[in-house]
Amino acid sequence: MARTVLLPVLLSFLLLPLASLALTQDFCVADLTCSDTPAGYPCKSSVTANDFYYHGLAGKGKINPLIKAAVTPAFVGQFPGVNGLGISAARLDIEVGGVVPLHTHPAGSELLFVTQGTVAAGFISSGSNTVYTKTLYAGDIMVFPQGLLHYQYNAGTGPAIGLVAFSSSNPGLQITDFALFANNLPSAVVEKVTFLDDAQVKKLKSVLGGSG
């Protein structure tokens, strides 16, 4: 009985030094010359104000002609100052008729703020596959919970722009169509797991650059 009571107390004392360490370190700017780890990048030894500044979202991103959209990230790989802070950002540029296809961010939730144009957006819940959709206008925001499939497309008559915040310094990005059809996963396997026929799979692989 005594052991059962003392165990939580002992664990609390063991965790105190870790909590103290976290409070005494203001930041950990990523050393991008090292490899990323589950805990983030190691810290740079020499830091300047430039490490906490990023200009990469100021201009329009490079439009992908297939989807008529651009996603410009300011993740830890581009913006080392966010390392370990649990935040990052991105910019969306969506041309008329453009779309950011169904995708997921495995490591972070997303908050989208539309600054120009009209964006139709939605996500799908993991349990009941319920779809939540909304048309967003300049000044509107929408949240997409971590790991859930979601999309955005231009629903207006002019270009749309959005700024995005994430709850992770490296939220990840996996586009469903690219994951299925832009690699060397054999067509026969794709057909089995998607219920698509051979002609459809081969057409999509051809469009997205896949093989097999």
Side-chain angles (χ1 to χ4, degrees), residues 6 8 17 22 29 45 63-65 71 83 86 89 93-95 116 120 122 139-140 142 162-163 170 190 195 209 212:
L6 286 174
V29 174
S45 57
I63 298 294
N64 180 319
V71 180
N83 187 49
D93 290 281
I94 312 177
E95 299 287 277
Q116 177 182 316
D140 290 342
M142 184 171 182
L163 295 177
N170 194 11
V190 179
F195 306 108

Side-chain angles (χ1 to χ4, degrees), residues 56 62 68 72 77 84 90 96 99 110 120-122 135 167 185 199-200:
K62 184 178 180 180
K68 298 182 181 178
T72 307
V96 175
V99 59
E110 172 183 337
T135 299
S167 63
L185 186 64
Q200 292 172 313

Side-chain angles (χ1 to χ4, degrees), residues 64 66-67 101-102 174-183 207-208:
N64 180 319
L66 179 64
I67 62 174
L102 272 176
Q174 185 173 43
I175 298 176
T176 307
D177 292 334
F178 291 0
L180 286 170
F181 307 111
N183 55 34
V207 170
L208 297 175

Side-chain angles (χ1 to χ4, degrees), residues 6-18:
L6 286 174
L7 184 58
V9 177
L10 178 61
L11 288 174
S12 298
F13 277 106
L14 289 173
L15 290 172
L16 278 176
L18 297 177

